[in-house]
Amino acid sequence: MDQYIVTGMTCAACQAHVEKAVEKVPGVDSVAVSLLTNSMSVTGSAGAAEIIKAVEDAGYGAERKGAEQKKESQSAKLAAEADALKDRETPKLLRRLAWSVGFLLILMYLTMGHNMLGLPVPSFLNHNHIGLAITQMLLAIIVMIINRAFFISGFKSLVHGSPNMDTLVALGSSASFGWSLYVLYRLTWMITQGAANMELMVIYHNQLYFETAAMIPALITVGKTLESYSKGRTTDALKNLMKMAPKTAVLERDGQEVEVGIDEVTAGDIFIVKPGESIPVDGVIVNGNTAIDESALTGESIPVDKTEGDNVSAATINQSGYIKARATRVGEDTTFSQIIQMVSDAAATKAPIARIADKVAGVFVPAVIGVAAVVMILWLILGRDVSYALERAISVLVISCPCALGLATPVAIMVGNGMGAKNGILFKTSEALESAGRIQIVALDKTGTITEGRPEVTDIVPAEGITETELLAKAYALEAKSEHPLARAVIAYGDAQELKREEVSDFKALTGNGLTGVLNGSVLHGGSGKYIASLTDIPKTLTEKADELSAKGRTPLFFEEDGRLIGIIVVADVIKDDSAKAVKEMQNMGIEVVMLTGDNERTAQAIGSEAGVDRVIAGVLPDGKEAVIRSLQKRGKTAMVGDGINDAPALTRADTGIAIGAGTDVAIDSADIVLMNSRLTDVSAAIRLSRATLRNIHENLFWAFAYNVILIPMAAGLYSAIQMNPMWGAAAMSLSSFTVCMNALRLNLFKVHDAGSDRPMKKRALPEAPESTVPVDKKAAPADNQVKNDAAPSDVSNNKEENTMTVTAKVEGMMCEHCEARVKKALEAIDGVENAVTSHENNTAVLTISKYVSEGAVKDAVTEAGYEFKGME
């Protein structure tokens, strides 16, 4: 896929015209143009020169993205792309708007203030109709020159046969100015001929509409400024991702630590990372133990213990130990760089929600021009003079001014955005506010979204003969010296209970097992059930209790003293207080709620059941969430709610991305909507507000078009009893705009958190194949060492036939979820393999096949992926 930067687009009509132009180029398979990012992605064999020429012939500009960066380093590419994403348009529009308003106020003072209210003017203009008219003309010219972009774009698109919103602005303003100029010349001529008395001059002066010619582009500039501001903020996601990329690395060379630029690191280099530093590139630990905060990639808040032989990824944080690692993937090949690329691709291929006004602009503008021309010709045929026929035609053009049409959406969006901000809901783009109301499926990330995102103590289970206070005091003393997040949960609970912390000596952290120390002469151990079981016997009742709690997605920490079990303290990432309520509210709106998580199946199902979601998709890898969203989109408009970097591609890919405000900056920047208060009920509130805004927009558009339908015939002179001149046309235009704005202001009375009026959507998500109550995604690792062959993912196989069977292949060499994904991809590429569920824990791949697949084909696929095939079960 090749990406291009497209310039000159101003609305959805421009976007559609560029797409149509490029689609006609021989060799182009598909094209997607994004108005928000001014980008275009093209797949096919067509050359860049042909594609650029097609865009230029359509009246726009284009250049290949990164064409001058191919030989540059990765960091230089990122810097160049970040510079290209800077918002340069909004500052220009703000300056343009400020100058426009300044001159427009002077013009309005002369036309409205002096002529209608009798406000004073300089003596040389008092009773000087020609002087006033010339002054108004000069001020209108200044405003039109300031906003010349409308006229250039509007008439240029008209010449290319693709009129857009700018064409409406240009025609309305030009018609008003042209008519006024005609009246001014006629008035001047009459004065020079001595044929004009004071009364006649007043009549002619009242037919000047220079203020209308200036007001039209000025008002539309307001909407353009708001749109550009939102558009500029949308690209912050990529800029923030690029800022997070590591800039330097510390390499070991000849026994010395040498700091180098990230581009100087090559595969095989040994790099050093100290506590608190970022991992520079992907690698494998060769010396040292540590805990790595992988939230930048996985979104999970609990650091992962790492030791020699374990993989580490770029942009993750080393929290505790001093490690040395061997670089395996550098530059564009790192996991973090691939996530940046995914976000970039998603941003380039995601089409914005088309404006209703822009959809009809291509028909509306030619129709109005045609009507005006027909009106003039008909009146000439009927014997009326040229001035009368021309006046009727100009009245049609003036009354067809796009002010109401252009304001119908922006004013409602502006008020809706303000209401959202008051309630802690930030809509980053107008598209987000429009699209949120059409959501049919909501995919929720688990950690930090449904749950609190940090472990807390949920249960204390003392052994026989031990009190809860005794167990907690000893665990509190032991965990106090640990930096592990699970230990922090115990410490926080002990602090809340105001326990006295006793001193533990001979403390040791046993990597992968737990902790040990001496308290008052007694040896304490704390850790996993497997580790403590190697030191002492665990009663069956406590084992069953631990299994029961584990089934609910909680983590039991076992403690023993001098060879005797003293109890269990259970910690878990608990769901937020409002999660279940929020899920229920969305379901009452007719929205299907799905939970996505990288957690194992058992934990995911426990949380999903507690929250009350409709579906659970577990074991999803960082790049898998984006794929799942694409699959869900086949069934309906999909929103993604998340808070981690791993959610960024999915947030960008979704029709609407929603980020929790307490999440990572990149997740927030990648999303279309940010929940500033981090309440999940704000998701349902955002949808509720969006639906109200959409209703308001539809009302505004109805009025904007209805007024044209009613008044254009009147302006054309079809009603003999009513003779409308351009002045009344301008008044009607103003009334239309005023009505639209007042209707939008009603949104200020809307209660976003009131669920009493919620109603299901008329258009629901497409149904899926029958499945279990809490379905498991195909990427989920089998729980309890059992392969669940009936867990076919409905989002991938909605229309698959039922005549499939499952077989199991033995695969060795898989070490992590990335290995699973690699084997899975290789196996699913085999003809006849509908689905592959891989597990590095069980060394298996469960294949769902729809026709005969030879063992040799499976073996070849596994071997080519770099793993060892051990036969079929």
Side-chain angles (χ1 to χ4, degrees):
M1 179 176 68
D2 295 325
Q3 293 191 19
Y4 297 80
I5 297 173
V6 181
T7 57
M9 296 190 298
T10 59
C11 69
C14 300
Q15 173 184 285
H17 190 58
V18 172
E19 286 185 350
K20 289 179 182 178
V22 177
E23 283 173 351
K24 295 178 182 178
V25 177
V28 172
D29 296 330
S30 66
V31 57
V33 179
S34 173
L35 177 64
L36 290 178
T37 56
N38 288 324
S39 62
M40 173 177 67
S41 58
V42 181
T43 57
S45 58
E50 290 82 359
I51 291 172
I52 293 173
K53 185 177 186 301
V55 175
E56 291 176 344
D57 290 343
Y60 305 90
E63 64 175 301
R64 191 167 183 177
K65 195 174 181 180
E68 299 178 358
Q69 305 170 20
K70 288 187 174 180
K71 296 182 180 180
E72 294 182 1
S73 65
Q74 175 69 359
S75 60
K77 288 180 182 179
L78 292 176
E81 290 184 14
D83 182 69
L85 289 171
K86 285 183 179 178
D87 182 12
R88 296 180 174 86
E89 190 66 21
T90 302
K92 294 179 182 177
L93 284 170
L94 286 172
R95 288 193 297 270
R96 200 167 95 188
L97 179 61
W99 283 105
S100 297
V101 170
F103 284 103
L104 183 62
L105 288 175
I106 300 174
L107 178 57
M108 295 304 295
Y109 180 88
L110 294 177
T111 57
M112 301 293 184
H114 176 65
N115 293 342
M116 298 178 66
L117 301 178
L119 296 179
V121 294
S123 57
F124 63 87
L125 291 177
N126 198 26
H127 301 298
N128 183 357
H129 294 286
I130 296 298
L132 277 173
I134 293 175
T135 303
Q136 292 175 29
M137 180 187 69
L138 293 175
L139 288 169
I141 290 174
I142 293 173
V143 175
M144 293 170 73
I145 290 175
I146 291 172
N147 295 281
R148 59 188 176 278
F150 287 130
F151 300 91
I152 295 172
S153 171
F155 289 120
K156 188 176 181 182
S157 65
L158 189 62
V159 170
H160 284 88
S162 56
N164 57 15
M165 288 294 293
D166 288 351
T167 306
L168 292 174
V169 177
L171 284 175
S173 181
S174 298
S176 299
F177 186 86
W179 168 257
S180 301
L181 192 60
Y182 162 74
V183 171
L184 176 59
Y185 278 131
R186 186 172 181 179
L187 180 60
T188 305
W189 178 82
M190 293 179 67
I191 292 175
T192 58
Q193 298 297 315
N197 55 33
M198 183 61 66
E199 182 179 354
L200 190 61
M201 284 192 290
V202 171
I203 292 174
Y204 271 91
H205 191 271
N206 288 337
Q207 294 183 24
L208 295 174
Y209 304 107
F210 288 121
E211 76 279 5
T212 302
M215 186 182 296
I216 291 171
L219 286 175
I220 301 302
T221 298
V222 175
K224 288 286 185 182
T225 303
L226 294 173
E227 179 182 353
S228 178
Y229 180 66
S230 298
K231 180 179 172 183
R233 290 170 61 187
T234 301
T235 60
D236 285 347
L238 281 177
K239 289 183 282 188
N240 281 280
L241 274 174
M242 293 168 186
K243 288 177 183 177
M244 291 184 64
K247 303 297 189 297
T248 61
V250 177
L251 302 183
E252 184 180 63
R253 290 179 176 173
D254 300 325
Q256 301 292 321
E257 295 183 8
V258 181
E259 184 173 347
V260 300
I262 198 68
D263 298 318
E264 297 181 42
V265 182
T266 59
D269 283 345
I270 301 297
F271 61 87
I272 295 168
V273 186
K274 299 174 183 178
E277 294 181 345
S278 174
I279 307 294
V281 296
D282 290 359
V284 177
I285 296 177
V286 296
N287 183 264
N289 302 308
T290 188
I292 300 291
D293 178 3
E294 296 185 334
S295 59
L297 299 181
T298 66
E300 305 300 333
S301 58
I302 299 176
V304 180
D305 291 329
K306 299 283 186 177
T307 187
E308 293 180 14
D310 289 339
N311 293 315
V312 292
S313 299
T316 58
I317 306 297
N318 177 21
Q319 283 205 332
S320 55
Y322 175 96
I323 61 171
K324 293 181 181 180
R326 182 179 66 256
T328 55
R329 293 191 296 180
V330 300
E332 297 178 348
D333 297 327
T334 65
T335 303
F336 185 72
S337 294
Q338 289 171 2
I339 288 178
I340 291 178
Q341 188 61 48
M342 281 191 287
V343 174
S344 177
D345 289 344
T349 57
K350 177 183 175 183
I353 301 298
R355 308 292 200 279
I356 297 176
D358 284 328
K359 285 183 178 180
V360 302
V363 177
F364 181 75
V365 177
V368 169
I369 296 173
V371 168
V374 169
V375 165
M376 182 173 181
I377 293 171
L378 285 176
W379 282 117
L380 290 173
I381 293 175
L382 292 174
R384 302 305 294 260
D385 57 41
V386 175
S387 62
Y388 180 85
L390 184 61
E391 185 176 351
R392 298 277 68 77
I394 293 177
S395 294
V396 170
L397 287 175
V398 171
I399 209 167
S400 302
C401 173
C403 284
L405 191 62
L407 288 172
T409 297
V411 293
I413 291 292
M414 180 175 63
V415 178
N417 269 322
M419 282 297 294
K422 290 178 184 177
N423 291 276
I425 304 167
L426 177 62
F427 296 93
K428 295 172 62 178
T429 66
S430 58
E431 284 77 14
L433 185 53
E434 290 178 12
S435 63
R438 301 187 178 100
I439 292 170
Q440 296 162 298
I441 303 171
V442 171
L444 303 173
D445 178 50
K446 179 187 76 70
T447 304
T449 302
I450 293 179
T451 66
E452 292 288 353
R454 61 181 182 275
E456 298 177 1
V457 172
T458 60
D459 301 88
I460 298 177
V461 186
E464 187 177 352
I466 302 293
T467 66
E468 286 191 8
T469 303
E470 288 178 307
L471 170 59
L472 182 59
K474 292 175 181 180
Y476 180 56
L478 181 62
E479 298 284 9
K481 289 185 174 290
S482 174
E483 295 297 326
H484 198 281
L486 297 182
R488 295 194 194 108
V490 176
I491 297 169
Y493 189 82
D495 290 340
Q497 300 298 316
E498 298 183 350
L499 294 179
K500 181 181 179 181
R501 187 181 300 178
E502 298 186 71
E503 187 65 26
V504 171
S505 60
D506 295 332
F507 173 83
K508 292 180 182 178
L510 308 173
T511 304
N513 290 313
L515 311 169
T516 183
V518 177
L519 177 64
N520 298 328
S522 298
V523 178
L524 289 174
H525 288 89
S528 64
K530 181 179 179 181
Y531 171 58
I532 298 300
S534 69
L535 302 174
T536 186
D537 292 330
I538 300 177
K540 184 179 180 181
T541 55
L542 289 183
T543 300
E544 292 175 349
K545 182 67 174 177
D547 291 340
E548 176 189 341
L549 293 168
S550 295
K552 296 180 180 179
R554 302 175 184 178
T555 304
L557 303 176
F558 291 76
F559 294 90
E560 71 87 32
E561 181 180 27
D562 290 337
R564 178 196 174 197
L565 184 74
I566 59 175
I568 304 171
I569 294 180
V570 183
V571 298
D573 186 9
V574 298
I575 73 167
K576 296 178 179 178
D577 294 336
D578 67 336
S579 291
K581 178 185 177 183
V583 170
K584 187 64 176 176
E585 287 184 359
M586 286 183 274
Q587 291 169 337
N588 289 340
M589 292 179 180
I591 297 171
E592 178 184 339
V593 184
V594 179
M595 187 179 85
L596 304 184
T597 179
D599 281 351
N600 62 70
E601 174 190 335
R602 183 168 61 180
T603 300
Q605 286 194 9
I607 297 296
S609 178
E610 189 176 355
V613 300
D614 297 304
R615 265 185 85 198
V616 170
I617 303 180
V620 184
L621 300 179
D623 59 344
K625 289 185 181 180
E626 190 262 357
V628 171
I629 292 297
R630 275 191 285 116
S631 189
L632 290 173
Q633 285 175 315
K634 296 176 183 178
R635 298 179 44 238
K637 295 290 184 182
T638 302
M640 172 67 192
V641 185
D643 68 335
I645 288 183
N646 69 312
D647 299 320
L651 287 168
T652 309
R653 173 65 65 185
D655 297 294
T656 303
I658 304 175
I660 295 295
T664 63
D665 289 340
V666 173
I668 292 172
D669 290 330
S670 297
D672 304 299
I673 303 172
V674 177
L675 309 182
M676 302 302 292
N677 297 320
S678 297
R679 290 194 302 257
L680 198 56
T681 48
D682 282 350
V683 176
S684 53
I687 296 171
R688 194 175 295 118
L689 177 59
S690 174
R691 291 183 180 182
T693 305
L694 280 173
R695 286 194 299 270
N696 194 278
I697 290 172
H698 293 155
E699 292 165 357
N700 288 343
L701 288 173
F702 172 79
W703 166 251
F705 286 110
Y707 122 90
N708 277 288
V709 171
I710 294 171
L711 294 185
I712 285 178
M714 190 181 296
L718 297 184
Y719 310 127
S720 57
I722 303 176
Q723 295 295 317
M724 179 178 290
N725 59 29
M727 180 182 68
W728 290 108
M733 177 272 293
S734 300
L735 178 62
S736 176
S737 301
F738 175 77
T739 305
V740 164
C741 292
M742 291 303 294
N743 185 55
L745 289 175
R746 292 190 306 111
L747 282 172
N748 283 316
L749 304 176
F750 185 73
K751 298 178 180 178
V752 298
H753 288 288
D754 183 4
S757 59
D758 287 346
R759 296 291 183 273
M761 294 182 65
K762 292 181 180 179
K763 186 177 181 182
R764 302 282 192 99
L766 294 174
E768 55 190 2
E771 54 187 344
S772 58
T773 304
V774 186
V776 181
D777 181 64
K778 62 180 180 178
K779 297 178 177 64
D784 303 325
N785 296 323
Q786 295 295 318
V787 176
K788 295 197 174 184
N789 296 330
D790 60 343
S794 64
D795 57 301
V796 179
S797 56
N798 289 331
N799 301 313
K800 296 293 181 185
E801 298 180 1
E802 298 299 325
N803 57 342
T804 59
M805 62 176 294
T806 59
V807 294
T808 302
K810 296 292 292 183
V811 181
E812 291 189 357
M814 295 187 292
M815 301 295 292
C816 63
E817 290 83 357
H818 295 286
C819 297
E820 290 177 354
R822 204 170 295 121
V823 174
K824 173 184 176 63
K825 182 178 180 181
L827 291 172
E828 290 183 346
I830 301 174
D831 184 29
V833 176
E834 304 296 339
N835 179 37
V837 178
T838 54
S839 171
H840 73 278
E841 296 174 348
N842 301 326
N843 291 324
T844 58
V846 181
L847 312 180
T848 302
I849 59 177
S850 59
K851 64 181 181 179
Y852 172 74
V853 175
S854 69
E855 184 174 332
V858 176
K859 179 180 179 181
D860 291 344
V862 172
T863 303
E864 288 178 9
Y867 300 89
E868 189 174 355
F869 175 74
K870 288 295 186 179
M872 308 292 290
E873 291 185 351

